[in-house]
Amino acid sequence: MKFLKRLITSPFVVVALVAAVVLLVLEIEELRKRPVGVPHTVPVWSDDQTTQVETIFTALNMRALDVPVERAGGGGALTSLGNDLLLMTHEGGFFEVGGDEARKLDIAPPPNGWEAMLDFETANPNYNFAHFFFRYNDVDVVDDELLVSFTEWVEGDNCYRTSIARADLNGAAAADASIGADDWSLVFSTEPCLAPNPNGRAIQGHMAGGRFRVDADGTLYLAAGDYAQDGIYAPVPLSQDPEQMYGKVIAIDLETGESRIVSQGHSNMQGIAFDDEGKLWTVEHGRRGGDELNLIREGRDYGWPKVSLGTRYNRLPLPDTLDYGRHPEFELPAYSWLPSVAISSLALIDDFHPAWDGDLIAGSLAGNSLFRIRTKGDSILFNEQIPLGFRIRYVHQYGDAIVLWTDQKKVLHLTVGEFDPSYQFAVSKIGNLDLSKHTAEAVETALEGCAECHGFGVLPSAGAPSLGEVYGRKVAGLADFDYSQSLSAVGGEWDRSQLVAFLGNPQSVAGETSMPDPALDDPEVIDAIVDILISLRRQAE
């Protein structure tokens, strides 16, 4: 008790507690001040598991397909086999998922030592094995062979590593393929084999990376994660050790099995892809901030865990970091996400839409989004976030569709949607009103200003509530939007008088609304806009 009393009254503890309280207050204040009127990421789904997602340049039609997965966990990957779309789950199940149902295939995964690992765990109960992190990581079809990367437990040696195995498809389509556990042969395994960690999780399998791509010359590039052997979760960091194949991009000759380290200083690379110029890119997780997109250059060091643009989850700097919040001395990321979005998977988009072709697209777990990334040489021109409401584990282009595998065990098919004509439809209604040319032009200018945030149809808008059915709708009545408290407190429905008042001066209706003043001073223009909104509602009905 005396020790506890001294601890509680220690000036260091008091300072730490005060600092924690201050941080909590600041975070609550940030939440209170966050922008309102921003949609939730959950799309509005129809009964047939379809919806539409708005992006810059094009809408996307999205269709969902559920896949039965037995063991809890996340991971897995997608690939194409001829005209078939293959899914490999984190537990090694194979499905054909190109149609309206998930069809289980007669493909056994390469042996990963699962049972031997469980036996070791039983004999050594002090180890903490997180089973849902022990998984198969990536899959591809190359020259009529199925290639799979996975975390392998090596029986007898009682250690783990990242391995790649292959099996012949013998020209079979997905439905006719038959691969047994004995049909696989190892292509490559990382060295050395790592002993399980007696402290914390025995195997940080979700930090394995394990994504790969094969170039036109038959060289496989493996993004080998560091399994959190980074000086934070384990005392000795591996990414900076050239004798360790962890935290590295590794080039592997599929004919000979020979390998070389291309780059080092990486953390948990969850995606790797070639762009349309043949440049190699990876995406990797930081910790609290510092997710990265990296252009991979031969012989370069990307700094992990010596440098990062993030912090540890406890807000402290990385151990032994060279600088706090900087990235000195090492290769800089091409782009970094702050806060972290848990960036995952990476693919090149080609022959999908003229405005998208040549871009890279990445998934996001914590961000529940896609990111469309336009590269220009060695730089990033833009990074468009597309909220979807799912933890996106893997991205893959399948013909004219972008297909996603989610941690919610859904396959999402994205195709180019039809152009939404609702704005033009709203503008066309100006001609039905008895307005002077000057007033008609002012109304069109006002509608164009509204369209910067709002849509005029019945589908959700990208940044603010759609106006297509606002007349007669409950004030602050859409479940998929966060409204200000003052607007939510107004009550009632949007009738003519309420709309006229709000367009004339939003703050007169709801004092702290996030709606900026539209600067509409002409009552005739305001009345005309309300007439159009009423017409749109009646048209929808």
Side-chain angles (χ1 to χ4, degrees), residues 50-86:
T50 62
T51 188
Q52 192 170 80
V53 178
E54 197 69 30
T55 78
I56 302 299
F57 299 124
T58 183
L60 298 174
N61 294 327
M62 184 160 68
R63 174 174 63 88
L65 174 66
D66 292 309
V67 178
V69 177
E70 296 178 4
R71 180 163 61 87
L78 295 157
T79 191
S80 296
L81 173 56
N83 295 324
D84 298 323
L85 176 64
L86 265 63

PDB file of all heavy atoms in Angstrom, residues 50-86:
ATOM      1  N   THR A  50     -27.290  -4.727 -54.373  1.00  0.00           N
ATOM      2  CA  THR A  50     -26.623  -3.805 -55.285  1.00  0.00           C
ATOM      3  C   THR A  50     -26.783  -2.387 -54.747  1.00  0.00           C
ATOM      4  O   THR A  50     -27.698  -2.079 -53.993  1.00  0.00           O
ATOM      5  CB  THR A  50     -27.193  -3.875 -56.705  1.00  0.00           C
ATOM      6  OG1 THR A  50     -28.582  -3.497 -56.684  1.00  0.00           O
ATOM      7  CG2 THR A  50     -27.054  -5.277 -57.284  1.00  0.00           C
ATOM      8  N   THR A  51     -25.870  -1.530 -55.162  1.00  0.00           N
ATOM      9  CA  THR A  51     -25.944  -0.117 -54.811  1.00  0.00           C
ATOM     10  C   THR A  51     -25.102   0.647 -55.812  1.00  0.00           C
ATOM     11  O   THR A  51     -24.475   0.053 -56.709  1.00  0.00           O
ATOM     12  CB  THR A  51     -25.443   0.130 -53.378  1.00  0.00           C
ATOM     13  OG1 THR A  51     -25.704   1.488 -53.011  1.00  0.00           O
ATOM     14  CG2 THR A  51     -23.955  -0.144 -53.259  1.00  0.00           C
ATOM     15  N   GLN A  52     -25.088   1.968 -55.688  1.00  0.00           N
ATOM     16  CA  GLN A  52     -24.246   2.788 -56.549  1.00  0.00           C
ATOM     17  C   GLN A  52     -23.385   3.697 -55.687  1.00  0.00           C
ATOM     18  O   GLN A  52     -23.833   4.209 -54.658  1.00  0.00           O
ATOM     19  CB  GLN A  52     -25.077   3.620 -57.532  1.00  0.00           C
ATOM     20  CG  GLN A  52     -24.236   4.261 -58.625  1.00  0.00           C
ATOM     21  CD  GLN A  52     -25.075   4.886 -59.724  1.00  0.00           C
ATOM     22  OE1 GLN A  52     -25.586   5.985 -59.566  1.00  0.00           O
ATOM     23  NE2 GLN A  52     -25.228   4.171 -60.832  1.00  0.00           N
ATOM     24  N   VAL A  53     -22.129   3.855 -56.099  1.00  0.00           N
ATOM     25  CA  VAL A  53     -21.161   4.656 -55.369  1.00  0.00           C
ATOM     26  C   VAL A  53     -20.722   5.798 -56.271  1.00  0.00           C
ATOM     27  O   VAL A  53     -20.383   5.586 -57.444  1.00  0.00           O
ATOM     28  CB  VAL A  53     -19.934   3.805 -54.966  1.00  0.00           C
ATOM     29  CG1 VAL A  53     -18.907   4.658 -54.243  1.00  0.00           C
ATOM     30  CG2 VAL A  53     -20.364   2.625 -54.113  1.00  0.00           C
ATOM     31  N   GLU A  54     -20.729   7.007 -55.736  1.00  0.00           N
ATOM     32  CA  GLU A  54     -20.341   8.178 -56.514  1.00  0.00           C
ATOM     33  C   GLU A  54     -18.847   8.424 -56.372  1.00  0.00           C
ATOM     34  O   GLU A  54     -18.291   8.369 -55.263  1.00  0.00           O
ATOM     35  CB  GLU A  54     -21.119   9.400 -56.023  1.00  0.00           C
ATOM     36  CG  GLU A  54     -21.104  10.566 -56.997  1.00  0.00           C
ATOM     37  CD  GLU A  54     -21.904  10.292 -58.259  1.00  0.00           C
ATOM     38  OE1 GLU A  54     -22.880   9.521 -58.191  1.00  0.00           O
ATOM     39  OE2 GLU A  54     -21.549  10.852 -59.307  1.00  0.00           O
ATOM     40  N   THR A  55     -18.155   8.647 -57.483  1.00  0.00           N
ATOM     41  CA  THR A  55     -16.746   9.023 -57.462  1.00  0.00           C
ATOM     42  C   THR A  55     -16.552  10.191 -58.420  1.00  0.00           C
ATOM     43  O   THR A  55     -17.455  10.547 -59.180  1.00  0.00           O
ATOM     44  CB  THR A  55     -15.828   7.858 -57.902  1.00  0.00           C
ATOM     45  OG1 THR A  55     -15.868   7.733 -59.336  1.00  0.00           O
ATOM     46  CG2 THR A  55     -16.236   6.545 -57.266  1.00  0.00           C
ATOM     47  N   ILE A  56     -15.380  10.792 -58.369  1.00  0.00           N
ATOM     48  CA  ILE A  56     -15.065  11.802 -59.361  1.00  0.00           C
ATOM     49  C   ILE A  56     -14.976  11.118 -60.728  1.00  0.00           C
ATOM     50  O   ILE A  56     -14.394  10.046 -60.868  1.00  0.00           O
ATOM     51  CB  ILE A  56     -13.721  12.490 -59.032  1.00  0.00           C
ATOM     52  CG1 ILE A  56     -13.787  13.117 -57.632  1.00  0.00           C
ATOM     53  CG2 ILE A  56     -13.389  13.551 -60.072  1.00  0.00           C
ATOM     54  CD1 ILE A  56     -14.838  14.188 -57.457  1.00  0.00           C
ATOM     55  N   PHE A  57     -15.581  11.701 -61.738  1.00  0.00           N
ATOM     56  CA  PHE A  57     -15.572  11.265 -63.136  1.00  0.00           C
ATOM     57  C   PHE A  57     -16.606  10.184 -63.451  1.00  0.00           C
ATOM     58  O   PHE A  57     -17.099  10.135 -64.565  1.00  0.00           O
ATOM     59  CB  PHE A  57     -14.192  10.775 -63.607  1.00  0.00           C
ATOM     60  CG  PHE A  57     -13.128  11.829 -63.542  1.00  0.00           C
ATOM     61  CD1 PHE A  57     -11.973  11.617 -62.823  1.00  0.00           C
ATOM     62  CD2 PHE A  57     -13.273  13.035 -64.196  1.00  0.00           C
ATOM     63  CE1 PHE A  57     -10.984  12.586 -62.745  1.00  0.00           C
ATOM     64  CE2 PHE A  57     -12.300  14.016 -64.129  1.00  0.00           C
ATOM     65  CZ  PHE A  57     -11.152  13.782 -63.401  1.00  0.00           C
ATOM     66  N   THR A  58     -16.903   9.294 -62.499  1.00  0.00           N
ATOM     67  CA  THR A  58     -17.872   8.251 -62.847  1.00  0.00           C
ATOM     68  C   THR A  58     -18.518   7.683 -61.590  1.00  0.00           C
ATOM     69  O   THR A  58     -17.914   7.672 -60.518  1.00  0.00           O
ATOM     70  CB  THR A  58     -17.198   7.103 -63.618  1.00  0.00           C
ATOM     71  OG1 THR A  58     -18.201   6.141 -63.997  1.00  0.00           O
ATOM     72  CG2 THR A  58     -16.150   6.399 -62.777  1.00  0.00           C
ATOM     73  N   ALA A  59     -19.751   7.237 -61.751  1.00  0.00           N
ATOM     74  CA  ALA A  59     -20.385   6.457 -60.691  1.00  0.00           C
ATOM     75  C   ALA A  59     -19.979   4.992 -60.863  1.00  0.00           C
ATOM     76  O   ALA A  59     -19.587   4.558 -61.944  1.00  0.00           O
ATOM     77  CB  ALA A  59     -21.903   6.604 -60.759  1.00  0.00           C
ATOM     78  N   LEU A  60     -20.071   4.244 -59.772  1.00  0.00           N
ATOM     79  CA  LEU A  60     -19.757   2.820 -59.795  1.00  0.00           C
ATOM     80  C   LEU A  60     -20.976   2.031 -59.335  1.00  0.00           C
ATOM     81  O   LEU A  60     -21.559   2.330 -58.289  1.00  0.00           O
ATOM     82  CB  LEU A  60     -18.581   2.509 -58.871  1.00  0.00           C
ATOM     83  CG  LEU A  60     -17.240   3.168 -59.184  1.00  0.00           C
ATOM     84  CD1 LEU A  60     -16.237   2.864 -58.076  1.00  0.00           C
ATOM     85  CD2 LEU A  60     -16.708   2.718 -60.534  1.00  0.00           C
ATOM     86  N   ASN A  61     -21.364   1.042 -60.125  1.00  0.00           N
ATOM     87  CA  ASN A  61     -22.357   0.079 -59.670  1.00  0.00           C
ATOM     88  C   ASN A  61     -21.639  -0.971 -58.830  1.00  0.00           C
ATOM     89  O   ASN A  61     -20.594  -1.482 -59.232  1.00  0.00           O
ATOM     90  CB  ASN A  61     -23.056  -0.591 -60.846  1.00  0.00           C
ATOM     91  CG  ASN A  61     -23.892   0.385 -61.650  1.00  0.00           C
ATOM     92  OD1 ASN A  61     -24.450   1.337 -61.096  1.00  0.00           O
ATOM     93  ND2 ASN A  61     -23.981   0.177 -62.956  1.00  0.00           N
ATOM     94  N   MET A  62     -22.200  -1.294 -57.672  1.00  0.00           N
ATOM     95  CA  MET A  62     -21.541  -2.248 -56.774  1.00  0.00           C
ATOM     96  C   MET A  62     -22.507  -3.382 -56.431  1.00  0.00           C
ATOM     97  O   MET A  62     -23.647  -3.142 -56.036  1.00  0.00           O
ATOM     98  CB  MET A  62     -21.072  -1.555 -55.497  1.00  0.00           C
ATOM     99  CG  MET A  62     -20.298  -2.475 -54.550  1.00  0.00           C
ATOM    100  SD  MET A  62     -19.246  -1.592 -53.345  1.00  0.00           S
ATOM    101  CE  MET A  62     -20.488  -0.813 -52.320  1.00  0.00           C
ATOM    102  N   ARG A  63     -22.016  -4.613 -56.613  1.00  0.00           N
ATOM    103  CA  ARG A  63     -22.801  -5.819 -56.315  1.00  0.00           C
ATOM    104  C   ARG A  63     -22.034  -6.646 -55.299  1.00  0.00           C
ATOM    105  O   ARG A  63     -20.821  -6.813 -55.404  1.00  0.00           O
ATOM    106  CB  ARG A  63     -23.035  -6.623 -57.597  1.00  0.00           C
ATOM    107  CG  ARG A  63     -23.704  -7.974 -57.392  1.00  0.00           C
ATOM    108  CD  ARG A  63     -24.032  -8.630 -58.734  1.00  0.00           C
ATOM    109  NE  ARG A  63     -22.868  -8.920 -59.531  1.00  0.00           N
ATOM    110  CZ  ARG A  63     -22.161 -10.027 -59.467  1.00  0.00           C
ATOM    111  NH1 ARG A  63     -22.483 -10.969 -58.585  1.00  0.00           N
ATOM    112  NH2 ARG A  63     -21.116 -10.222 -60.259  1.00  0.00           N
ATOM    113  N   ALA A  64     -22.737  -7.182 -54.307  1.00  0.00           N
ATOM    114  CA  ALA A  64     -22.105  -7.937 -53.226  1.00  0.00           C
ATOM    115  C   ALA A  64     -22.440  -9.417 -53.330  1.00  0.00           C
ATOM    116  O   ALA A  64     -23.541  -9.793 -53.725  1.00  0.00           O
ATOM    117  CB  ALA A  64     -22.543  -7.402 -51.867  1.00  0.00           C
ATOM    118  N   LEU A  65     -21.458 -10.235 -52.979  1.00  0.00           N
ATOM    119  CA  LEU A  65     -21.626 -11.689 -52.963  1.00  0.00           C
ATOM    120  C   LEU A  65     -21.037 -12.215 -51.663  1.00  0.00           C
ATOM    121  O   LEU A  65     -19.874 -11.964 -51.338  1.00  0.00           O
ATOM    122  CB  LEU A  65     -20.898 -12.315 -54.162  1.00  0.00           C
ATOM    123  CG  LEU A  65     -20.856 -13.843 -54.238  1.00  0.00           C
ATOM    124  CD1 LEU A  65     -22.258 -14.405 -54.459  1.00  0.00           C
ATOM    125  CD2 LEU A  65     -19.921 -14.299 -55.360  1.00  0.00           C
ATOM    126  N   ASP A  66     -21.827 -12.943 -50.887  1.00  0.00           N
ATOM    127  CA  ASP A  66     -21.359 -13.517 -49.625  1.00  0.00           C
ATOM    128  C   ASP A  66     -20.615 -14.827 -49.868  1.00  0.00           C
ATOM    129  O   ASP A  66     -20.990 -15.619 -50.733  1.00  0.00           O
ATOM    130  CB  ASP A  66     -22.536 -13.776 -48.688  1.00  0.00           C
ATOM    131  CG  ASP A  66     -23.188 -12.488 -48.210  1.00  0.00           C
ATOM    132  OD1 ASP A  66     -22.458 -11.606 -47.733  1.00  0.00           O
ATOM    133  OD2 ASP A  66     -24.421 -12.360 -48.339  1.00  0.00           O
ATOM    134  N   VAL A  67     -19.556 -15.050 -49.079  1.00  0.00           N
ATOM    135  CA  VAL A  67     -18.741 -16.255 -49.198  1.00  0.00           C
ATOM    136  C   VAL A  67     -18.692 -16.950 -47.838  1.00  0.00           C
ATOM    137  O   VAL A  67     -18.391 -16.308 -46.827  1.00  0.00           O
ATOM    138  CB  VAL A  67     -17.308 -15.920 -49.664  1.00  0.00           C
ATOM    139  CG1 VAL A  67     -16.463 -17.177 -49.747  1.00  0.00           C
ATOM    140  CG2 VAL A  67     -17.347 -15.207 -51.018  1.00  0.00           C
ATOM    141  N   PRO A  68     -18.974 -18.247 -47.782  1.00  0.00           N
ATOM    142  CA  PRO A  68     -18.922 -18.950 -46.496  1.00  0.00           C
ATOM    143  C   PRO A  68     -17.484 -19.220 -46.072  1.00  0.00           C
ATOM    144  O   PRO A  68     -16.727 -19.868 -46.785  1.00  0.00           O
ATOM    145  CB  PRO A  68     -19.663 -20.264 -46.789  1.00  0.00           C
ATOM    146  CG  PRO A  68     -19.481 -20.481 -48.269  1.00  0.00           C
ATOM    147  CD  PRO A  68     -19.445 -19.110 -48.890  1.00  0.00           C
ATOM    148  N   VAL A  69     -17.113 -18.703 -44.915  1.00  0.00           N
ATOM    149  CA  VAL A  69     -15.778 -18.907 -44.375  1.00  0.00           C
ATOM    150  C   VAL A  69     -15.937 -19.450 -42.955  1.00  0.00           C
ATOM    151  O   VAL A  69     -16.693 -18.900 -42.159  1.00  0.00           O
ATOM    152  CB  VAL A  69     -14.973 -17.593 -44.354  1.00  0.00           C
ATOM    153  CG1 VAL A  69     -13.606 -17.814 -43.723  1.00  0.00           C
ATOM    154  CG2 VAL A  69     -14.812 -17.058 -45.773  1.00  0.00           C
ATOM    155  N   GLU A  70     -15.244 -20.534 -42.646  1.00  0.00           N
ATOM    156  CA  GLU A  70     -15.442 -21.225 -41.377  1.00  0.00           C
ATOM    157  C   GLU A  70     -14.643 -20.598 -40.238  1.00  0.00           C
ATOM    158  O   GLU A  70     -15.179 -20.333 -39.165  1.00  0.00           O
ATOM    159  CB  GLU A  70     -15.065 -22.700 -41.529  1.00  0.00           C
ATOM    160  CG  GLU A  70     -15.950 -23.462 -42.511  1.00  0.00           C
ATOM    161  CD  GLU A  70     -15.518 -24.906 -42.678  1.00  0.00           C
ATOM    162  OE1 GLU A  70     -14.566 -25.313 -41.963  1.00  0.00           O
ATOM    163  OE2 GLU A  70     -16.114 -25.621 -43.506  1.00  0.00           O
ATOM    164  N   ARG A  71     -13.360 -20.389 -40.435  1.00  0.00           N
ATOM    165  CA  ARG A  71     -12.500 -19.959 -39.332  1.00  0.00           C
ATOM    166  C   ARG A  71     -12.415 -18.440 -39.270  1.00  0.00           C
ATOM    167  O   ARG A  71     -12.273 -17.771 -40.286  1.00  0.00           O
ATOM    168  CB  ARG A  71     -11.097 -20.555 -39.505  1.00  0.00           C
ATOM    169  CG  ARG A  71     -10.119 -20.157 -38.412  1.00  0.00           C
ATOM    170  CD  ARG A  71      -8.901 -21.084 -38.379  1.00  0.00           C
ATOM    171  NE  ARG A  71      -8.131 -21.086 -39.608  1.00  0.00           N
ATOM    172  CZ  ARG A  71      -7.155 -20.220 -39.887  1.00  0.00           C
ATOM    173  NH1 ARG A  71      -6.868 -19.250 -39.041  1.00  0.00           N
ATOM    174  NH2 ARG A  71      -6.489 -20.304 -41.009  1.00  0.00           N
ATOM    175  N   ALA A  72     -12.518 -17.867 -38.086  1.00  0.00           N
ATOM    176  CA  ALA A  72     -12.445 -16.420 -37.911  1.00  0.00           C
ATOM    177  C   ALA A  72     -11.083 -15.906 -38.342  1.00  0.00           C
ATOM    178  O   ALA A  72     -10.059 -16.574 -38.191  1.00  0.00           O
ATOM    179  CB  ALA A  72     -12.701 -16.057 -36.451  1.00  0.00           C
ATOM    180  N   GLY A  73     -11.070 -14.699 -38.889  1.00  0.00           N
ATOM    181  CA  GLY A  73      -9.819 -14.080 -39.305  1.00  0.00           C
ATOM    182  C   GLY A  73      -9.984 -13.301 -40.581  1.00  0.00           C
ATOM    183  O   GLY A  73     -11.037 -13.326 -41.223  1.00  0.00           O
ATOM    184  N   GLY A  74      -8.964 -12.568 -40.938  1.00  0.00           N
ATOM    185  CA  GLY A  74      -8.954 -11.800 -42.179  1.00  0.00           C
ATOM    186  C   GLY A  74      -7.770 -12.197 -43.020  1.00  0.00           C
ATOM    187  O   GLY A  74      -6.764 -12.716 -42.517  1.00  0.00           O
ATOM    188  N   GLY A  75      -7.860 -11.934 -44.305  1.00  0.00           N
ATOM    189  CA  GLY A  75      -6.774 -12.280 -45.219  1.00  0.00           C
ATOM    190  C   GLY A  75      -7.326 -12.940 -46.464  1.00  0.00           C
ATOM    191  O   GLY A  75      -8.536 -13.041 -46.654  1.00  0.00           O
ATOM    192  N   GLY A  76      -6.424 -13.411 -47.316  1.00  0.00           N
ATOM    193  CA  GLY A  76      -6.833 -14.035 -48.562  1.00  0.00           C
ATOM    194  C   GLY A  76      -6.619 -13.105 -49.738  1.00  0.00           C
ATOM    195  O   GLY A  76      -6.146 -11.982 -49.590  1.00  0.00           O
ATOM    196  N   ALA A  77      -6.987 -13.577 -50.932  1.00  0.00           N
ATOM    197  CA  ALA A  77      -6.673 -12.839 -52.148  1.00  0.00           C
ATOM    198  C   ALA A  77      -7.537 -13.312 -53.314  1.00  0.00           C
ATOM    199  O   ALA A  77      -8.204 -14.342 -53.230  1.00  0.00           O
ATOM    200  CB  ALA A  77      -5.186 -13.008 -52.493  1.00  0.00           C
ATOM    201  N   LEU A  78      -7.488 -12.547 -54.397  1.00  0.00           N
ATOM    202  CA  LEU A  78      -8.231 -12.825 -55.629  1.00  0.00           C
ATOM    203  C   LEU A  78      -7.268 -12.932 -56.803  1.00  0.00           C
ATOM    204  O   LEU A  78      -6.218 -12.287 -56.827  1.00  0.00           O
ATOM    205  CB  LEU A  78      -9.229 -11.706 -55.915  1.00  0.00           C
ATOM    206  CG  LEU A  78     -10.381 -11.498 -54.929  1.00  0.00           C
ATOM    207  CD1 LEU A  78     -10.903 -10.071 -55.023  1.00  0.00           C
ATOM    208  CD2 LEU A  78     -11.504 -12.487 -55.209  1.00  0.00           C
ATOM    209  N   THR A  79      -7.658 -13.729 -57.799  1.00  0.00           N
ATOM    210  CA  THR A  79      -6.921 -13.772 -59.052  1.00  0.00           C
ATOM    211  C   THR A  79      -7.842 -14.277 -60.147  1.00  0.00           C
ATOM    212  O   THR A  79      -8.949 -14.765 -59.872  1.00  0.00           O
ATOM    213  CB  THR A  79      -5.673 -14.672 -58.942  1.00  0.00           C
ATOM    214  OG1 THR A  79      -4.852 -14.486 -60.113  1.00  0.00           O
ATOM    215  CG2 THR A  79      -6.053 -16.147 -58.843  1.00  0.00           C
ATOM    216  N   SER A  80      -7.390 -14.166 -61.383  1.00  0.00           N
ATOM    217  CA  SER A  80      -8.162 -14.634 -62.534  1.00  0.00           C
ATOM    218  C   SER A  80      -7.533 -15.903 -63.089  1.00  0.00           C
ATOM    219  O   SER A  80      -6.305 -16.008 -63.201  1.00  0.00           O
ATOM    220  CB  SER A  80      -8.210 -13.568 -63.627  1.00  0.00           C
ATOM    221  OG  SER A  80      -8.888 -12.411 -63.193  1.00  0.00           O
ATOM    222  N   LEU A  81      -8.395 -16.852 -63.440  1.00  0.00           N
ATOM    223  CA  LEU A  81      -7.983 -18.071 -64.130  1.00  0.00           C
ATOM    224  C   LEU A  81      -8.789 -18.139 -65.418  1.00  0.00           C
ATOM    225  O   LEU A  81      -9.940 -18.565 -65.419  1.00  0.00           O
ATOM    226  CB  LEU A  81      -8.232 -19.301 -63.265  1.00  0.00           C
ATOM    227  CG  LEU A  81      -8.011 -20.672 -63.926  1.00  0.00           C
ATOM    228  CD1 LEU A  81      -6.596 -20.778 -64.488  1.00  0.00           C
ATOM    229  CD2 LEU A  81      -8.295 -21.799 -62.945  1.00  0.00           C
ATOM    230  N   GLY A  82      -8.192 -17.651 -66.515  1.00  0.00           N
ATOM    231  CA  GLY A  82      -8.948 -17.543 -67.754  1.00  0.00           C
ATOM    232  C   GLY A  82     -10.121 -16.603 -67.561  1.00  0.00           C
ATOM    233  O   GLY A  82      -9.956 -15.447 -67.164  1.00  0.00           O
ATOM    234  N   ASN A  83     -11.339 -17.095 -67.820  1.00  0.00           N
ATOM    235  CA  ASN A  83     -12.546 -16.298 -67.634  1.00  0.00           C
ATOM    236  C   ASN A  83     -13.138 -16.442 -66.238  1.00  0.00           C
ATOM    237  O   ASN A  83     -14.211 -15.890 -65.964  1.00  0.00           O
ATOM    238  CB  ASN A  83     -13.606 -16.689 -68.672  1.00  0.00           C
ATOM    239  CG  ASN A  83     -13.176 -16.350 -70.085  1.00  0.00           C
ATOM    240  OD1 ASN A  83     -12.520 -15.326 -70.312  1.00  0.00           O
ATOM    241  ND2 ASN A  83     -13.511 -17.214 -71.033  1.00  0.00           N
ATOM    242  N   ASP A  84     -12.461 -17.180 -65.367  1.00  0.00           N
ATOM    243  CA  ASP A  84     -12.978 -17.415 -64.027  1.00  0.00           C
ATOM    244  C   ASP A  84     -12.303 -16.486 -63.022  1.00  0.00           C
ATOM    245  O   ASP A  84     -11.151 -16.078 -63.203  1.00  0.00           O
ATOM    246  CB  ASP A  84     -12.729 -18.864 -63.599  1.00  0.00           C
ATOM    247  CG  ASP A  84     -13.451 -19.864 -64.504  1.00  0.00           C
ATOM    248  OD1 ASP A  84     -14.574 -19.544 -64.930  1.00  0.00           O
ATOM    249  OD2 ASP A  84     -12.878 -20.936 -64.792  1.00  0.00           O
ATOM    250  N   LEU A  85     -13.039 -16.174 -61.972  1.00  0.00           N
ATOM    251  CA  LEU A  85     -12.516 -15.360 -60.887  1.00  0.00           C
ATOM    252  C   LEU A  85     -12.353 -16.241 -59.657  1.00  0.00           C
ATOM    253  O   LEU A  85     -13.319 -16.844 -59.182  1.00  0.00           O
ATOM    254  CB  LEU A  85     -13.471 -14.200 -60.577  1.00  0.00           C
ATOM    255  CG  LEU A  85     -13.098 -13.303 -59.399  1.00  0.00           C
ATOM    256  CD1 LEU A  85     -11.784 -12.569 -59.670  1.00  0.00           C
ATOM    257  CD2 LEU A  85     -14.219 -12.295 -59.121  1.00  0.00           C
ATOM    258  N   LEU A  86     -11.118 -16.336 -59.160  1.00  0.00           N
ATOM    259  CA  LEU A  86     -10.806 -17.199 -58.026  1.00  0.00           C
ATOM    260  C   LEU A  86     -10.612 -16.384 -56.760  1.00  0.00           C
ATOM    261  O   LEU A  86      -9.946 -15.336 -56.776  1.00  0.00           O
ATOM    262  CB  LEU A  86      -9.527 -18.001 -58.286  1.00  0.00           C
ATOM    263  CG  LEU A  86      -9.676 -19.420 -58.859  1.00  0.00           C
ATOM    264  CD1 LEU A  86     -10.320 -19.356 -60.233  1.00  0.00           C
ATOM    265  CD2 LEU A  86      -8.326 -20.106 -58.906  1.00  0.00           C
TER     266      LEU A  86
END
